[in-house]
Amino acid sequence: MQPRSYRTLAGAARAEIEVRRSRFVCDVEPVPSEEDARAVVERVRAASRDAGHHCTAFLLGPDASTVRSNDDGEPSGTAGAPMLEVLRGAGLTDVVAVVTRWFGGTLLGTGGLIRAYGDAVGAAVSEARVVTMSRRTATTVEVGHADGPRVDNALRALPDATVTGVDYLAEGVRLHVAVDPESLDAFGGTVAALTSGAGRVTPGADLWVPADPDA
């Protein structure tokens, strides 16, 4: 069963830390698919080919069911795994992290690497804005021209629905509304009450929208 919501990043962010003269630069970015995550990794790698390592971690899907990490030549378990743990600890998914390391001449040891890679991701996440995505059902509402403005205003005031578009057609007004799936019956009742039963409500596919419409 899909979750009703999940947390991801609103946009890309970057942070840099230094540990015993080694530089760790972390890029974090929201991504919708594994293909997009790998494209981010390649873009970062191409921009910093002089670095010794480009370690990666990403979580995908509303339930974070797709998990990938890569130590990229660092000792096994010292980079990708701690990077994943920071992303998990922040409750994020649909996100990729790439930590680029330039070696500073001093070995950090297993514990030092684990801390450094985790801290780099944590620093980048703290620079990013987190957004909560909520599961909604794409719904169309068709009403007459006379009812259009009043229904539009009323639906925009509902806490479990977001009007995403309005079409003014020759035969009437069609509103596109993202509705909480658990509120569909009540939503239909609201439209019926507003239009004396004349309004037509047609649920469609599920989609994900920011819980904050301005996010």
mmCIF file of all heavy atoms in Angstrom, residues 39-91:
data_model
loop_
_atom_site.group_PDB
_atom_site.id
_atom_site.type_symbol
_atom_site.label_atom_id
_atom_site.label_comp_id
_atom_site.label_asym_id
_atom_site.label_seq_id
_atom_site.Cartn_x
_atom_site.Cartn_y
_atom_site.Cartn_z
ATOM 1 N N ALA A 39 22.042 10.338 -14.051
ATOM 2 C CA ALA A 39 22.424 11.502 -14.856
ATOM 3 C C ALA A 39 23.046 12.591 -13.978
ATOM 4 O O ALA A 39 24.016 13.246 -14.383
ATOM 5 C CB ALA A 39 21.210 12.050 -15.601
ATOM 6 N N VAL A 40 22.509 12.774 -12.779
ATOM 7 C CA VAL A 40 23.098 13.737 -11.842
ATOM 8 C C VAL A 40 24.513 13.300 -11.466
ATOM 9 O O VAL A 40 25.449 14.111 -11.442
ATOM 10 C CB VAL A 40 22.228 13.880 -10.579
ATOM 11 C CG1 VAL A 40 22.945 14.715 -9.519
ATOM 12 C CG2 VAL A 40 20.884 14.511 -10.914
ATOM 13 N N VAL A 41 24.677 12.009 -11.179
ATOM 14 C CA VAL A 41 26.004 11.487 -10.820
ATOM 15 C C VAL A 41 27.006 11.767 -11.940
ATOM 16 O O VAL A 41 28.118 12.256 -11.692
ATOM 17 C CB VAL A 41 25.929 9.978 -10.524
ATOM 18 C CG1 VAL A 41 27.340 9.414 -10.320
ATOM 19 C CG2 VAL A 41 25.068 9.712 -9.295
ATOM 20 N N GLU A 42 26.629 11.492 -13.173
ATOM 21 C CA GLU A 42 27.543 11.697 -14.298
ATOM 22 C C GLU A 42 27.840 13.176 -14.512
ATOM 23 O O GLU A 42 28.955 13.549 -14.878
ATOM 24 C CB GLU A 42 26.959 11.072 -15.567
ATOM 25 C CG GLU A 42 26.956 9.556 -15.536
ATOM 26 C CD GLU A 42 28.311 8.979 -15.179
ATOM 27 O OE1 GLU A 42 29.330 9.394 -15.789
ATOM 28 O OE2 GLU A 42 28.385 8.126 -14.268
ATOM 29 N N ARG A 43 26.861 14.023 -14.289
ATOM 30 C CA ARG A 43 27.086 15.457 -14.443
ATOM 31 C C ARG A 43 28.089 15.969 -13.416
ATOM 32 O O ARG A 43 29.013 16.732 -13.741
ATOM 33 C CB ARG A 43 25.758 16.208 -14.298
ATOM 34 C CG ARG A 43 25.877 17.693 -14.617
ATOM 35 C CD ARG A 43 24.542 18.393 -14.517
ATOM 36 N NE ARG A 43 24.152 18.596 -13.132
ATOM 37 C CZ ARG A 43 23.027 18.165 -12.593
ATOM 38 N NH1 ARG A 43 22.159 17.488 -13.305
ATOM 39 N NH2 ARG A 43 22.749 18.409 -11.329
ATOM 40 N N VAL A 44 27.946 15.517 -12.167
ATOM 41 C CA VAL A 44 28.880 15.938 -11.123
ATOM 42 C C VAL A 44 30.271 15.375 -11.413
ATOM 43 O O VAL A 44 31.286 16.074 -11.277
ATOM 44 C CB VAL A 44 28.380 15.470 -9.738
ATOM 45 C CG1 VAL A 44 29.435 15.740 -8.672
ATOM 46 C CG2 VAL A 44 27.077 16.173 -9.379
ATOM 47 N N ARG A 45 30.328 14.118 -11.831
ATOM 48 C CA ARG A 45 31.618 13.499 -12.139
ATOM 49 C C ARG A 45 32.335 14.248 -13.263
ATOM 50 O O ARG A 45 33.542 14.497 -13.200
ATOM 51 C CB ARG A 45 31.401 12.035 -12.523
ATOM 52 C CG ARG A 45 32.679 11.234 -12.690
ATOM 53 C CD ARG A 45 32.366 9.844 -13.221
ATOM 54 N NE ARG A 45 31.516 9.101 -12.315
ATOM 55 C CZ ARG A 45 31.971 8.379 -11.297
ATOM 56 N NH1 ARG A 45 33.272 8.293 -11.071
ATOM 57 N NH2 ARG A 45 31.121 7.726 -10.514
ATOM 58 N N ALA A 46 31.574 14.609 -14.302
ATOM 59 C CA ALA A 46 32.174 15.297 -15.443
ATOM 60 C C ALA A 46 32.713 16.671 -15.065
ATOM 61 O O ALA A 46 33.680 17.161 -15.662
ATOM 62 C CB ALA A 46 31.147 15.433 -16.567
ATOM 63 N N ALA A 47 32.099 17.297 -14.061
ATOM 64 C CA ALA A 47 32.511 18.645 -13.651
ATOM 65 C C ALA A 47 33.706 18.628 -12.702
ATOM 66 O O ALA A 47 34.269 19.686 -12.412
ATOM 67 C CB ALA A 47 31.337 19.363 -13.001
ATOM 68 N N SER A 48 34.094 17.445 -12.215
ATOM 69 C CA SER A 48 35.195 17.384 -11.234
ATOM 70 C C SER A 48 36.025 16.119 -11.456
ATOM 71 O O SER A 48 36.193 15.311 -10.553
ATOM 72 C CB SER A 48 34.627 17.415 -9.812
ATOM 73 O OG SER A 48 33.598 16.449 -9.656
ATOM 74 N N ARG A 49 36.527 15.972 -12.664
ATOM 75 C CA ARG A 49 37.278 14.761 -13.009
ATOM 76 C C ARG A 49 38.635 14.684 -12.297
ATOM 77 O O ARG A 49 39.262 13.616 -12.273
ATOM 78 C CB ARG A 49 37.477 14.677 -14.525
ATOM 79 C CG ARG A 49 36.170 14.487 -15.291
ATOM 80 C CD ARG A 49 36.393 14.020 -16.714
ATOM 81 N NE ARG A 49 35.145 13.878 -17.450
ATOM 82 C CZ ARG A 49 34.347 12.828 -17.371
ATOM 83 N NH1 ARG A 49 34.665 11.821 -16.580
ATOM 84 N NH2 ARG A 49 33.237 12.780 -18.082
ATOM 85 N N ASP A 50 39.089 15.780 -11.720
ATOM 86 C CA ASP A 50 40.367 15.761 -11.001
ATOM 87 C C ASP A 50 40.232 15.175 -9.602
ATOM 88 O O ASP A 50 41.243 14.937 -8.925
ATOM 89 C CB ASP A 50 40.939 17.175 -10.910
ATOM 90 C CG ASP A 50 40.015 18.143 -10.182
ATOM 91 O OD1 ASP A 50 38.778 18.019 -10.353
ATOM 92 O OD2 ASP A 50 40.519 19.011 -9.450
ATOM 93 N N ALA A 51 39.010 14.925 -9.145
ATOM 94 C CA ALA A 51 38.803 14.377 -7.796
ATOM 95 C C ALA A 51 39.108 12.882 -7.792
ATOM 96 O O ALA A 51 39.050 12.199 -8.811
ATOM 97 C CB ALA A 51 37.367 14.623 -7.358
ATOM 98 N N GLY A 52 39.419 12.376 -6.584
ATOM 99 C CA GLY A 52 39.753 10.966 -6.456
ATOM 100 C C GLY A 52 38.546 10.053 -6.372
ATOM 101 O O GLY A 52 38.608 8.894 -6.800
ATOM 102 N N HIS A 53 37.442 10.553 -5.825
ATOM 103 C CA HIS A 53 36.269 9.708 -5.610
ATOM 104 C C HIS A 53 34.995 10.509 -5.836
ATOM 105 O O HIS A 53 34.932 11.695 -5.525
ATOM 106 C CB HIS A 53 36.253 9.145 -4.180
ATOM 107 C CG HIS A 53 37.498 8.409 -3.809
ATOM 108 N ND1 HIS A 53 37.716 7.087 -4.112
ATOM 109 C CD2 HIS A 53 38.613 8.838 -3.145
ATOM 110 C CE1 HIS A 53 38.898 6.711 -3.659
ATOM 111 N NE2 HIS A 53 39.462 7.757 -3.073
ATOM 112 N N HIS A 54 33.997 9.816 -6.373
ATOM 113 C CA HIS A 54 32.642 10.369 -6.494
ATOM 114 C C HIS A 54 31.695 9.317 -5.921
ATOM 115 O O HIS A 54 31.204 8.448 -6.646
ATOM 116 C CB HIS A 54 32.281 10.669 -7.949
ATOM 117 C CG HIS A 54 33.141 11.708 -8.586
ATOM 118 N ND1 HIS A 54 34.342 11.407 -9.207
ATOM 119 C CD2 HIS A 54 32.984 13.052 -8.682
ATOM 120 C CE1 HIS A 54 34.876 12.532 -9.673
ATOM 121 N NE2 HIS A 54 34.072 13.541 -9.374
ATOM 122 N N CYS A 55 31.455 9.388 -4.633
ATOM 123 C CA CYS A 55 30.648 8.383 -3.941
ATOM 124 C C CYS A 55 29.182 8.807 -3.983
ATOM 125 O O CYS A 55 28.870 9.998 -3.921
ATOM 126 C CB CYS A 55 31.134 8.213 -2.514
ATOM 127 S SG CYS A 55 32.891 7.728 -2.446
ATOM 128 N N THR A 56 28.302 7.820 -4.089
ATOM 129 C CA THR A 56 26.909 8.149 -4.369
ATOM 130 C C THR A 56 25.937 7.356 -3.499
ATOM 131 O O THR A 56 26.245 6.266 -3.013
ATOM 132 C CB THR A 56 26.568 7.863 -5.846
ATOM 133 O OG1 THR A 56 26.759 6.460 -6.110
ATOM 134 C CG2 THR A 56 27.461 8.661 -6.781
ATOM 135 N N ALA A 57 24.743 7.924 -3.343
ATOM 136 C CA ALA A 57 23.642 7.243 -2.655
ATOM 137 C C ALA A 57 22.343 7.850 -3.154
ATOM 138 O O ALA A 57 22.261 9.061 -3.340
ATOM 139 C CB ALA A 57 23.756 7.411 -1.144
ATOM 140 N N PHE A 58 21.351 6.988 -3.394
ATOM 141 C CA PHE A 58 20.036 7.537 -3.703
ATOM 142 C C PHE A 58 18.931 6.606 -3.248
ATOM 143 O O PHE A 58 19.099 5.390 -3.149
ATOM 144 C CB PHE A 58 19.876 7.924 -5.180
ATOM 145 C CG PHE A 58 20.151 6.858 -6.204
ATOM 146 C CD1 PHE A 58 19.165 5.966 -6.597
ATOM 147 C CD2 PHE A 58 21.390 6.787 -6.825
ATOM 148 C CE1 PHE A 58 19.403 5.020 -7.582
ATOM 149 C CE2 PHE A 58 21.638 5.840 -7.812
ATOM 150 C CZ PHE A 58 20.644 4.951 -8.192
ATOM 151 N N LEU A 59 17.804 7.235 -2.924
ATOM 152 C CA LEU A 59 16.566 6.567 -2.511
ATOM 153 C C LEU A 59 15.462 7.042 -3.441
ATOM 154 O O LEU A 59 15.347 8.240 -3.708
ATOM 155 C CB LEU A 59 16.211 6.934 -1.067
ATOM 156 C CG LEU A 59 17.199 6.517 0.024
ATOM 157 C CD1 LEU A 59 16.946 7.306 1.299
ATOM 158 C CD2 LEU A 59 17.067 5.038 0.300
ATOM 159 N N LEU A 60 14.650 6.092 -3.921
ATOM 160 C CA LEU A 60 13.614 6.448 -4.880
ATOM 161 C C LEU A 60 12.290 5.785 -4.533
ATOM 162 O O LEU A 60 12.262 4.701 -3.944
ATOM 163 C CB LEU A 60 14.031 6.007 -6.288
ATOM 164 C CG LEU A 60 15.296 6.645 -6.873
ATOM 165 C CD1 LEU A 60 15.682 5.935 -8.158
ATOM 166 C CD2 LEU A 60 15.097 8.125 -7.118
ATOM 167 N N GLY A 61 11.208 6.445 -4.948
ATOM 168 C CA GLY A 61 9.865 5.915 -4.729
ATOM 169 C C GLY A 61 9.236 6.487 -3.482
ATOM 170 O O GLY A 61 9.937 6.806 -2.514
ATOM 171 N N PRO A 62 7.915 6.631 -3.461
ATOM 172 C CA PRO A 62 7.234 7.158 -2.277
ATOM 173 C C PRO A 62 7.538 6.367 -1.004
ATOM 174 O O PRO A 62 7.540 6.933 0.088
ATOM 175 C CB PRO A 62 5.757 7.055 -2.652
ATOM 176 C CG PRO A 62 5.747 7.090 -4.142
ATOM 177 C CD PRO A 62 6.986 6.369 -4.577
ATOM 178 N N ASP A 63 7.802 5.068 -1.158
ATOM 179 C CA ASP A 63 8.146 4.235 -0.004
ATOM 180 C C ASP A 63 9.641 3.970 0.097
ATOM 181 O O ASP A 63 10.070 3.105 0.861
ATOM 182 C CB ASP A 63 7.391 2.900 -0.073
ATOM 183 C CG ASP A 63 7.639 2.170 -1.395
ATOM 184 O OD1 ASP A 63 8.351 2.730 -2.267
ATOM 185 O OD2 ASP A 63 7.130 1.056 -1.554
ATOM 186 N N ALA A 64 10.453 4.710 -0.686
ATOM 187 C CA ALA A 64 11.915 4.565 -0.682
ATOM 188 C C ALA A 64 12.339 3.123 -0.925
ATOM 189 O O ALA A 64 13.292 2.622 -0.321
ATOM 190 C CB ALA A 64 12.511 5.091 0.624
ATOM 191 N N SER A 65 11.638 2.449 -1.843
ATOM 192 C CA SER A 65 11.897 1.032 -2.076
ATOM 193 C C SER A 65 13.108 0.779 -2.963
ATOM 194 O O SER A 65 13.659 -0.327 -2.963
ATOM 195 C CB SER A 65 10.663 0.372 -2.689
ATOM 196 O OG SER A 65 10.302 1.022 -3.893
ATOM 197 N N THR A 66 13.533 1.773 -3.735
ATOM 198 C CA THR A 66 14.735 1.634 -4.558
ATOM 199 C C THR A 66 15.900 2.307 -3.842
ATOM 200 O O THR A 66 15.846 3.504 -3.555
ATOM 201 C CB THR A 66 14.531 2.268 -5.949
ATOM 202 O OG1 THR A 66 13.467 1.592 -6.615
ATOM 203 C CG2 THR A 66 15.796 2.163 -6.786
ATOM 204 N N VAL A 67 16.931 1.521 -3.540
ATOM 205 C CA VAL A 67 18.071 2.002 -2.752
ATOM 206 C C VAL A 67 19.354 1.626 -3.487
ATOM 207 O O VAL A 67 19.556 0.463 -3.840
ATOM 208 C CB VAL A 67 18.083 1.374 -1.343
ATOM 209 C CG1 VAL A 67 19.255 1.910 -0.528
ATOM 210 C CG2 VAL A 67 16.772 1.631 -0.629
ATOM 211 N N ARG A 68 20.214 2.605 -3.714
ATOM 212 C CA ARG A 68 21.487 2.341 -4.385
ATOM 213 C C ARG A 68 22.588 3.152 -3.688
ATOM 214 O O ARG A 68 22.342 4.272 -3.224
ATOM 215 C CB ARG A 68 21.444 2.741 -5.855
ATOM 216 C CG ARG A 68 20.368 2.059 -6.678
ATOM 217 C CD ARG A 68 20.742 0.647 -7.064
ATOM 218 N NE ARG A 68 19.768 0.093 -7.997
ATOM 219 C CZ ARG A 68 18.666 -0.562 -7.635
ATOM 220 N NH1 ARG A 68 18.389 -0.751 -6.347
ATOM 221 N NH2 ARG A 68 17.818 -1.027 -8.550
ATOM 222 N N SER A 69 23.784 2.599 -3.651
ATOM 223 C CA SER A 69 24.936 3.345 -3.141
ATOM 224 C C SER A 69 26.200 2.800 -3.774
ATOM 225 O O SER A 69 26.238 1.660 -4.243
ATOM 226 C CB SER A 69 25.023 3.266 -1.617
ATOM 227 O OG SER A 69 25.309 1.948 -1.194
ATOM 228 N N ASN A 70 27.248 3.614 -3.786
ATOM 229 C CA ASN A 70 28.513 3.235 -4.401
ATOM 230 C C ASN A 70 29.657 3.914 -3.649
ATOM 231 O O ASN A 70 29.640 5.131 -3.477
ATOM 232 C CB ASN A 70 28.520 3.651 -5.876
ATOM 233 C CG ASN A 70 29.672 3.051 -6.651
ATOM 234 O OD1 ASN A 70 30.800 3.002 -6.167
ATOM 235 N ND2 ASN A 70 29.401 2.612 -7.866
ATOM 236 N N ASP A 71 30.641 3.106 -3.221
ATOM 237 C CA ASP A 71 31.795 3.645 -2.494
ATOM 238 C C ASP A 71 32.865 4.203 -3.427
ATOM 239 O O ASP A 71 33.792 4.881 -2.955
ATOM 240 C CB ASP A 71 32.421 2.556 -1.613
ATOM 241 C CG ASP A 71 31.499 2.093 -0.508
ATOM 242 O OD1 ASP A 71 30.888 2.961 0.147
ATOM 243 O OD2 ASP A 71 31.389 0.873 -0.289
ATOM 244 N N ASP A 72 32.778 3.910 -4.714
ATOM 245 C CA ASP A 72 33.687 4.444 -5.735
ATOM 246 C C ASP A 72 35.157 4.387 -5.320
ATOM 247 O O ASP A 72 35.875 5.389 -5.372
ATOM 248 C CB ASP A 72 33.310 5.889 -6.098
ATOM 249 C CG ASP A 72 33.990 6.353 -7.391
ATOM 250 O OD1 ASP A 72 34.140 5.525 -8.305
ATOM 251 O OD2 ASP A 72 34.387 7.532 -7.467
ATOM 252 N N GLY A 73 35.582 3.215 -4.883
ATOM 253 C CA GLY A 73 36.999 3.024 -4.583
ATOM 254 C C GLY A 73 37.385 3.242 -3.135
ATOM 255 O O GLY A 73 38.495 2.865 -2.726
ATOM 256 N N GLU A 74 36.523 3.843 -2.339
ATOM 257 C CA GLU A 74 36.798 3.960 -0.905
ATOM 258 C C GLU A 74 36.601 2.572 -0.263
ATOM 259 O O GLU A 74 35.924 1.712 -0.833
ATOM 260 C CB GLU A 74 35.857 4.972 -0.254
ATOM 261 C CG GLU A 74 36.031 6.408 -0.715
ATOM 262 C CD GLU A 74 37.238 7.107 -0.102
ATOM 263 O OE1 GLU A 74 38.234 6.420 0.233
ATOM 264 O OE2 GLU A 74 37.197 8.342 0.022
ATOM 265 N N PRO A 75 37.192 2.326 0.915
ATOM 266 C CA PRO A 75 36.978 1.036 1.578
ATOM 267 C C PRO A 75 35.494 0.719 1.723
ATOM 268 O O PRO A 75 34.690 1.605 2.016
ATOM 269 C CB PRO A 75 37.652 1.235 2.945
ATOM 270 C CG PRO A 75 38.715 2.256 2.680
ATOM 271 C CD PRO A 75 38.117 3.187 1.667
ATOM 272 N N SER A 76 35.137 -0.538 1.497
ATOM 273 C CA SER A 76 33.736 -0.948 1.482
ATOM 274 C C SER A 76 32.992 -0.504 2.733
ATOM 275 O O SER A 76 33.442 -0.728 3.858
ATOM 276 C CB SER A 76 33.653 -2.468 1.342
ATOM 277 O OG SER A 76 32.316 -2.897 1.345
ATOM 278 N N GLY A 77 31.841 0.132 2.525
ATOM 279 C CA GLY A 77 30.982 0.540 3.629
ATOM 280 C C GLY A 77 31.338 1.866 4.274
ATOM 281 O O GLY A 77 30.665 2.286 5.216
ATOM 282 N N THR A 78 32.363 2.564 3.755
ATOM 283 C CA THR A 78 32.782 3.810 4.405
ATOM 284 C C THR A 78 32.190 5.063 3.769
ATOM 285 O O THR A 78 32.348 6.159 4.307
ATOM 286 C CB THR A 78 34.313 3.951 4.386
ATOM 287 O OG1 THR A 78 34.771 4.014 3.016
ATOM 288 C CG2 THR A 78 34.983 2.777 5.092
ATOM 289 N N ALA A 79 31.514 4.930 2.638
ATOM 290 C CA ALA A 79 31.011 6.119 1.945
ATOM 291 C C ALA A 79 29.524 5.995 1.624
ATOM 292 O O ALA A 79 28.687 6.706 2.180
ATOM 293 C CB ALA A 79 31.824 6.362 0.671
ATOM 294 N N GLY A 80 29.171 5.088 0.703
ATOM 295 C CA GLY A 80 27.776 4.982 0.275
ATOM 296 C C GLY A 80 26.816 4.684 1.403
ATOM 297 O O GLY A 80 25.748 5.299 1.508
ATOM 298 N N ALA A 81 27.189 3.735 2.274
ATOM 299 C CA ALA A 81 26.283 3.354 3.370
ATOM 300 C C ALA A 81 26.020 4.504 4.337
ATOM 301 O O ALA A 81 24.860 4.792 4.662
ATOM 302 C CB ALA A 81 26.825 2.133 4.111
ATOM 303 N N PRO A 82 27.055 5.205 4.841
ATOM 304 C CA PRO A 82 26.749 6.339 5.731
ATOM 305 C C PRO A 82 26.009 7.466 5.026
ATOM 306 O O PRO A 82 25.206 8.163 5.648
ATOM 307 C CB PRO A 82 28.131 6.796 6.220
ATOM 308 C CG PRO A 82 29.120 6.195 5.294
ATOM 309 C CD PRO A 82 28.510 4.933 4.789
ATOM 310 N N MET A 83 26.234 7.633 3.734
ATOM 311 C CA MET A 83 25.474 8.637 2.987
ATOM 312 C C MET A 83 23.993 8.275 2.959
ATOM 313 O O MET A 83 23.120 9.117 3.188
ATOM 314 C CB MET A 83 26.030 8.760 1.566
ATOM 315 C CG MET A 83 27.428 9.363 1.494
ATOM 316 S SD MET A 83 28.200 9.168 -0.145
ATOM 317 C CE MET A 83 27.088 10.168 -1.152
ATOM 318 N N LEU A 84 23.705 6.990 2.698
ATOM 319 C CA LEU A 84 22.322 6.535 2.722
ATOM 320 C C LEU A 84 21.672 6.753 4.077
ATOM 321 O O LEU A 84 20.506 7.162 4.165
ATOM 322 C CB LEU A 84 22.249 5.043 2.373
ATOM 323 C CG LEU A 84 22.252 4.638 0.908
ATOM 324 C CD1 LEU A 84 22.292 3.119 0.792
ATOM 325 C CD2 LEU A 84 21.035 5.190 0.178
ATOM 326 N N GLU A 85 22.425 6.464 5.130
ATOM 327 C CA GLU A 85 21.853 6.589 6.470
ATOM 328 C C GLU A 85 21.447 8.023 6.782
ATOM 329 O O GLU A 85 20.443 8.256 7.455
ATOM 330 C CB GLU A 85 22.842 6.062 7.517
ATOM 331 C CG GLU A 85 22.944 4.548 7.555
ATOM 332 C CD GLU A 85 21.580 3.884 7.669
ATOM 333 O OE1 GLU A 85 20.836 4.209 8.618
ATOM 334 O OE2 GLU A 85 21.229 3.068 6.795
ATOM 335 N N VAL A 86 22.218 8.983 6.293
ATOM 336 C CA VAL A 86 21.854 10.384 6.527
ATOM 337 C C VAL A 86 20.572 10.726 5.770
ATOM 338 O O VAL A 86 19.674 11.390 6.305
ATOM 339 C CB VAL A 86 23.003 11.323 6.120
ATOM 340 C CG1 VAL A 86 22.552 12.788 6.198
ATOM 341 C CG2 VAL A 86 24.210 11.110 7.025
ATOM 342 N N LEU A 87 20.463 10.267 4.525
ATOM 343 C CA LEU A 87 19.242 10.529 3.754
ATOM 344 C C LEU A 87 18.037 9.876 4.420
ATOM 345 O O LEU A 87 16.973 10.485 4.531
ATOM 346 C CB LEU A 87 19.401 10.008 2.327
ATOM 347 C CG LEU A 87 20.486 10.677 1.467
ATOM 348 C CD1 LEU A 87 20.568 10.001 0.102
ATOM 349 C CD2 LEU A 87 20.224 12.165 1.318
ATOM 350 N N ARG A 88 18.220 8.633 4.866
ATOM 351 C CA ARG A 88 17.122 7.943 5.570
ATOM 352 C C ARG A 88 16.772 8.674 6.862
ATOM 353 O O ARG A 88 15.603 8.830 7.203
ATOM 354 C CB ARG A 88 17.532 6.509 5.898
ATOM 355 C CG ARG A 88 17.456 5.528 4.756
ATOM 356 C CD ARG A 88 17.459 4.114 5.295
ATOM 357 N NE ARG A 88 17.511 3.114 4.242
ATOM 358 C CZ ARG A 88 18.602 2.456 3.888
ATOM 359 N NH1 ARG A 88 19.740 2.687 4.501
ATOM 360 N NH2 ARG A 88 18.561 1.548 2.929
ATOM 361 N N GLY A 89 17.793 9.077 7.601
ATOM 362 C CA GLY A 89 17.560 9.754 8.877
ATOM 363 C C GLY A 89 16.796 11.053 8.713
ATOM 364 O O GLY A 89 16.048 11.458 9.608
ATOM 365 N N ALA A 90 16.969 11.696 7.541
ATOM 366 C CA ALA A 90 16.227 12.932 7.258
ATOM 367 C C ALA A 90 14.829 12.640 6.725
ATOM 368 O O ALA A 90 14.054 13.568 6.476
ATOM 369 C CB ALA A 90 16.999 13.783 6.255
ATOM 370 N N GLY A 91 14.509 11.348 6.539
ATOM 371 C CA GLY A 91 13.184 10.970 6.051
ATOM 372 C C GLY A 91 12.947 11.298 4.596
ATOM 373 O O GLY A 91 11.811 11.538 4.191
#
